[in-house]
Amino acid sequence: MHLINVVNGSEDILLLPNQQALISSGLHNMKPSDVVQSIRVRDGNILLFDFNNPENDVTELQFLPSPDFDRNAFNPHGISYWQEPNNGRTFLYVVNHLCDGDAIEVFEYLPDDGALKHLKQIQHPLINSPNDVEAVGRDMFYVTNNHYFNSVFMRKVEIILQLQIASVVFHDGMKNETQLVAAALKFPNGVSMSPDQRYVYVVAGNELKLKIYERNKIDNSLELVQAIHIGYSCDNMFIQPNNGDIWLACHPRIMDIVVHIDQHANHKTASQVLRIKLGIEDVSQQGSRFPDYAIDQVYINDGSKLKGSSVAVFHHGKMLVGTVLDNLLYCEVRSLEE
C-alpha cells in the first residue's frame, strides 16, 4: 500500500482496456462559492496511472492546442470514455465547471503521444449542474445533475430542505437532442452502466442509496427497478468489467466531507470503499430486480492516511482509490471473495 502524491485531488478515475487509468484532478467547484468565483486560472489536469507499472508516478496528459478549448479554464469533475469497436479510437468525456456555466468537454485520447485532442464542447440548459457522465456511444451519454436550481442561494435551500428534485439527463449527439430520463433525486452523484448496457446505476448521495434503472436501448429512457439502501453517502463508482461488481467510494460522515472541502487539509474526513455484488436478477420482483445482493466493506480509514475517498477502481487484486482533494492510494486487496 502506498500513497501517490497528487497535488489537486483525484476526484474521478476510469480504467481503459489497456489497464491505463485516467484521472480527473484539480476540481475547484467543490470549494466555497465565493472562492470559486474568484478563480480565473484553473489547474485542472487529466492524469495517467498505469496498472502495468504501478511503481511509476502518475503523469499529466498534454492538451494539444485548440482555439475552442481554454486550458486555463479547465475545472474537471466526472469523466467517462467511449472506445470505437472497429478502430479502437478512444474518446474522453469530461464534466467541466467553467466560471460562467458548465459543459461536457469531448477529447480524443492519443495514447502514443500522451495527449488529448479537444474536439468539442457540449452545453445544454438541461445539463445545468453536472456531476458525473457515463458514455454509451460516440457523443451519447448520461449526466447526473446534482442540483435542480442554478443559483448558489437556491442550491443551498435545496440542500437545507433536502429537496428531492435533481435529475439524470441523456444527450444524443447524433440527433443533437438532450432529454430528462430520471427525476426526483436527492444529490445524484456517480453514474455508471452494467457491462451488458441493460442497467444504469445512479448514486443518490443524500438519500444514502444506489438506484438501479433498466435502460431502454432504443430511446435511452430509464425505468427505476430497485433502490439499494447503502447507509452511507457515496460518491463515484466503478463497474468491474468481468463480473459487473459495483465498487463505491463513500463518505462515512457527510458533515466531515463538507467541512473538509471548505477547509481542505485543515479537517480530517474518513475514506471508505464498498463492493456490491448483485445476485441473479428476477424480473418478477416488483421494485427489487436483484433480491439477493451482498455489500462488502473493502477499505476504511479515519482520514489519517487518506481523506475524502471519491472513487475506487479494482483490477486483478489491486485497487486505486481517488479523493476529492487529497492524494491517490494504490493498494493490494488480499481478503476478498470473488
Side-chain angles (χ1 to χ4, degrees), residues 10 47 52 56 65 85 118 126 131 133 146 203 215 249 256 276 279 282 307 336:
S10 44
L47 309 176
N52 299 305
N56 294 345
H118 186 259
L126 287 178
N131 185 302
V133 57
N146 54 20
V203 172
R215 175 185 173 227
D256 277 346
I276 299 180
D282 185 349
K307 302 182 183 73
L336 185 67

Coordinates of all heavy atoms in Angstrom, one line a residue, residues 10 47 52 56 65 85 118 126 131 133 146 203 215 249 256 276 279 282 307 336:
S10 N -8.0 13.7 -6.9 CA -8.1 12.7 -7.9 C -9.6 12.3 -7.9 O -9.9 11.1 -7.6 CB -7.2 11.5 -7.6 OG -7.2 11.2 -6.2
L47 N -4.8 13.0 -15.5 CA -3.5 12.3 -15.1 C -3.6 10.8 -15.6 O -4.7 10.3 -15.8 CB -3.3 12.3 -13.6 CG -3.4 13.6 -12.9 CD1 -3.2 13.5 -11.4 CD2 -2.3 14.6 -13.5
N52 N -0.1 -1.6 -15.2 CA 1.0 -2.4 -15.6 C 2.3 -2.1 -15.0 O 3.2 -2.9 -14.9 CB 1.2 -2.4 -17.2 CG -0.1 -2.9 -17.9 OD1 -0.6 -4.0 -17.6 ND2 -0.6 -2.1 -18.8
N56 N 5.5 3.4 -11.0 CA 5.7 4.7 -11.6 C 4.8 5.8 -11.1 O 3.6 5.5 -10.7 CB 5.6 4.6 -13.1 CG 6.7 3.7 -13.8 OD1 7.7 3.4 -13.1 ND2 6.4 3.3 -15.0
P65 N -3.0 22.1 -28.6 CA -3.5 23.5 -28.8 C -4.8 23.4 -29.6 O -4.9 22.7 -30.6 CB -2.5 24.2 -29.5 CG -1.2 23.5 -29.2 CD -1.6 22.1 -29.1
P85 N -15.4 0.3 -31.5 CA -15.1 -1.1 -31.6 C -14.4 -1.5 -32.9 O -13.6 -2.4 -32.9 CB -16.5 -1.8 -31.6 CG -17.4 -0.7 -32.0 CD -16.9 0.6 -31.5
H118 N -8.7 18.2 -28.2 CA -10.1 18.7 -27.9 C -10.9 18.7 -29.2 O -10.5 19.2 -30.3 CB -10.1 20.1 -27.4 CG -11.4 20.6 -26.9 ND1 -12.2 21.5 -27.7 CD2 -12.1 20.3 -25.8 CE1 -13.3 21.7 -27.1 NE2 -13.3 21.1 -25.9
L126 N -30.5 21.6 -20.0 CA -30.8 20.5 -19.1 C -29.6 20.0 -18.4 O -29.7 19.2 -17.4 CB -31.5 19.4 -19.9 CG -32.9 19.6 -20.3 CD1 -33.5 18.4 -21.2 CD2 -33.8 19.8 -19.1
N131 N -22.5 16.5 -12.5 CA -21.5 15.9 -11.6 C -20.7 14.8 -12.2 O -19.5 14.8 -12.2 CB -22.2 15.4 -10.3 CG -21.3 14.9 -9.3 OD1 -20.5 14.0 -9.5 ND2 -21.4 15.4 -8.1
V133 N -20.6 11.7 -15.6 CA -21.0 11.4 -17.0 C -20.7 10.0 -17.3 O -19.7 9.4 -16.8 CB -20.3 12.4 -18.0 CG1 -18.8 12.3 -17.9 CG2 -20.8 12.1 -19.4
N146 N -26.6 17.3 -10.0 CA -26.7 17.1 -8.5 C -27.6 18.2 -7.9 O -27.9 18.1 -6.7 CB -25.4 17.0 -7.8 CG -24.4 18.1 -8.1 OD1 -24.8 19.2 -8.5 ND2 -23.1 17.8 -7.8
V203 N -25.8 6.9 -8.1 CA -25.6 7.1 -6.7 C -26.5 8.3 -6.2 O -26.3 9.4 -6.7 CB -24.2 7.3 -6.3 CG1 -24.0 7.7 -4.8 CG2 -23.3 6.1 -6.6
R215 N -32.5 0.2 -18.7 CA -32.3 1.1 -19.8 C -33.0 0.6 -21.0 O -32.9 -0.5 -21.4 CB -30.8 1.3 -20.1 CG -30.5 2.1 -21.3 CD -29.0 2.1 -21.6 NE -28.7 2.8 -22.8 CZ -27.9 2.3 -23.8 NH1 -27.3 1.1 -23.6 NH2 -27.7 2.9 -24.9
A249 N -17.0 4.4 -3.7 CA -16.2 5.2 -2.7 C -17.2 6.1 -2.0 O -18.0 6.7 -2.6 CB -15.1 6.0 -3.4
D256 N -18.4 15.8 7.8 CA -16.9 15.9 7.7 C -16.4 16.2 6.3 O -15.5 17.0 6.2 CB -16.3 14.6 8.2 CG -16.2 14.5 9.7 OD1 -16.4 15.5 10.4 OD2 -16.0 13.3 10.2
I276 N -20.5 -3.9 -4.1 CA -21.8 -4.6 -4.1 C -21.8 -5.6 -5.2 O -21.4 -5.4 -6.3 CB -22.9 -3.5 -4.5 CG1 -23.0 -2.4 -3.4 CG2 -24.2 -4.2 -4.6 CD1 -24.0 -1.4 -3.7
G279 N -27.0 -10.4 -7.1 CA -27.3 -11.8 -7.3 C -28.0 -11.9 -8.7 O -27.9 -11.1 -9.5
D282 N -34.3 -11.0 -11.1 CA -35.7 -11.6 -11.0 C -36.7 -10.6 -11.5 O -37.0 -9.7 -10.8 CB -36.0 -12.1 -9.6 CG -37.4 -12.9 -9.6 OD1 -38.1 -12.8 -10.6 OD2 -37.7 -13.5 -8.5
K307 N -7.9 11.1 2.9 CA -9.0 11.9 3.2 C -10.0 12.0 2.0 O -9.6 12.3 0.9 CB -8.6 13.3 3.5 CG -7.6 13.4 4.7 CD -7.2 14.9 4.9 CE -6.2 15.1 6.0 NZ -4.9 14.7 5.5
L336 N -10.6 -10.8 -0.3 CA -11.9 -10.5 -0.9 C -12.4 -11.7 -1.7 O -11.7 -12.2 -2.6 CB -11.8 -9.3 -1.8 CG -13.2 -8.8 -2.4 CD1 -14.1 -8.2 -1.3 CD2 -12.9 -7.8 -3.4

